[in-house]
Amino acid sequence: MADNRQAQLDIAQRRCEARGLRLTPQRRQVMALLLGHEAPVSAYDLLDELQREHQPGAKPPTIYRALDFLVSAGLAHRLASTNRYLACDHLACDHGHEAGTLFLVCDGCGVVREAPMDNPLRRQLNRSLDREGFHADAQPLEMHGRCDRCG
């Protein structure tokens, strides 16, 4: 697991460098914390971990600035419905998120799967929105339900 986390951090570093962004040591620490979670996590839970493991005096703005950077860089996502964060499942691929991302949120166990929106789904959604006279920005779409394990 530690090797995989390190590989993911290295990918995040390369993605930042390729875009002229800086993955500072603090941002890298927060990214590592996110990668250590299988389910989405709150900013305050991450702050507690950051204080325990790296920066005892860290304050809320510290974690929020790091999370804002990671989200804007496409390395992490914020689930609006739960106000929780998760590392991008697709760090190694270069699909981007301009087409939108579909998050499948299990209300039973809390697991979240990230599924890039395929073209047919995106086209159908855009047609429906056009009929309503509405144009959506490229925001993630969250679907709540139950995974196969939770039935």
Side-chain angles (χ1 to χ4, degrees), residues 11-126:
I11 291 168
Q13 181 74 44
R14 287 192 300 275
R15 285 186 62 185
C16 284
E17 289 170 358
R19 295 178 57 203
L21 301 173
R22 194 161 165 258
L23 189 64
T24 63
Q26 187 173 69
R27 292 169 178 168
R28 190 177 175 94
Q29 289 168 347
V30 174
M31 185 68 189
L33 294 174
L34 277 175
L35 288 166
H37 288 272
E38 290 188 23
V41 62
S42 74
Y44 278 92
D45 287 342
L46 287 169
L47 177 61
D48 288 345
E49 287 181 58
L50 185 67
Q51 290 169 335
R52 273 193 319 275
E53 296 180 25
H54 302 289
Q55 298 179 35
K59 302 286 184 226
T62 302
I63 200 76
Y64 281 110
R65 280 193 299 268
L67 288 168
D68 287 347
F69 171 84
L70 296 172
V71 169
S72 68
L75 303 175
H77 304 290
R78 178 182 169 272
L79 294 177
S81 64
T82 60
N83 199 26
R84 292 179 175 267
Y85 296 84
L86 67 156
C88 180
D89 279 351
H90 303 110
L91 285 177
C93 51
D94 198 18
H95 66 74
H97 296 95
E98 59 281 341
T101 302
L102 176 61
F103 291 103
L104 307 174
V105 183
C106 178
D107 293 325
C109 64
V111 167
V112 175
R113 284 192 10 229
E114 179 182 342
M117 296 230 303
D118 63 11
N119 287 331
L121 177 59
R122 187 175 59 243
R123 278 194 302 270
Q124 182 59 43
L125 179 59
N126 285 334

